Amino acid sequence: MALEVQQTVVEAVPLAVVGGWTSLGQLSTAIRGRLDKVYAYLRAGGIAPLGHNVVVYKAARGAGPALELLIEVGVQTAAPVSGDGEVVGAETPAGPVALAAHIGPYDGIAATGRSVEARIAALGLKRAGVSWEVYGDWEEDTAKLRTDLYYLLGAAAR
């Protein structure tokens, strides 16, 4: 089945996040550890999470095994949060995006992302640098997991 990439415009969604740099090799560990901190903050404050877990990819530096990513890891909230120092309020970007769904285990998300990036380029669109993943509800059968991939778009490529 061919990957369907949609173009749409999205509104910002408030988040509670922990941000910072991590290596590509430590990405899954960093995501889990930061989510633990966010959920601890939400529980301590009596804040019910509104929606799903989110990872926002803000920047990258280096290459190959030395690649590092600046990420914000968190949870969708009903309203902005003030945070406690390490956990801060943030939001997903607003604006035009390319959107695709990855269905299956999390270890396949990167390949889906590369396919989305290729499709964006083939359409003559230009990325605005920021992307994010919204993780759907947990499924014991990992083949049914859904992760929505968003790529903020800028001016058309020339």
Side-chain angles (χ1 to χ4, degrees):
M1 184 164 118
L3 179 67
E4 181 181 343
V5 178
Q6 302 172 0
Q7 290 181 59
T8 189
V9 177
V10 296
E11 299 294 325
V13 174
L15 305 170
V17 302
V18 174
W21 290 94
T22 189
S23 68
L24 184 59
Q26 291 296 310
L27 183 60
S28 62
T29 300
I31 290 171
R32 283 190 303 272
R34 292 173 189 188
L35 280 174
D36 288 346
K37 292 175 182 179
V38 170
Y39 277 102
Y41 165 80
L42 295 175
R43 279 191 302 275
I47 302 168
L50 167 69
H52 295 102
N53 298 336
V54 177
V55 176
V56 180
Y57 296 87
K58 302 191 71 101
R61 64 184 179 201
L67 179 65
E68 293 184 311
L69 303 167
L70 178 59
I71 59 174
E72 292 180 334
V73 178
V75 178
Q76 297 169 331
T77 58
V81 298
S82 57
D84 68 357
E86 189 168 28
V87 177
V88 298
E91 60 185 23
T92 58
V97 297
L99 165 64
H102 167 78
I103 307 298
Y106 297 141
D107 63 3
I109 292 173
T112 299
R114 288 188 296 275
S115 295
V116 174
E117 291 170 2
R119 183 73 178 133
I120 289 169
L123 292 171
L125 302 172
K126 183 176 179 182
R127 290 188 51 202
V130 178
S131 63
W132 63 102
E133 300 165 352
V134 177
Y135 299 87
D137 295 332
W138 176 252
E139 295 279 349
E140 290 298 324
D141 180 354
T142 60
K144 295 180 181 178
L145 290 172
R146 178 184 175 119
T147 307
D148 291 325
L149 285 64
Y150 294 81
Y151 292 81
L152 190 63
L153 299 174
R158 294 182 197 257

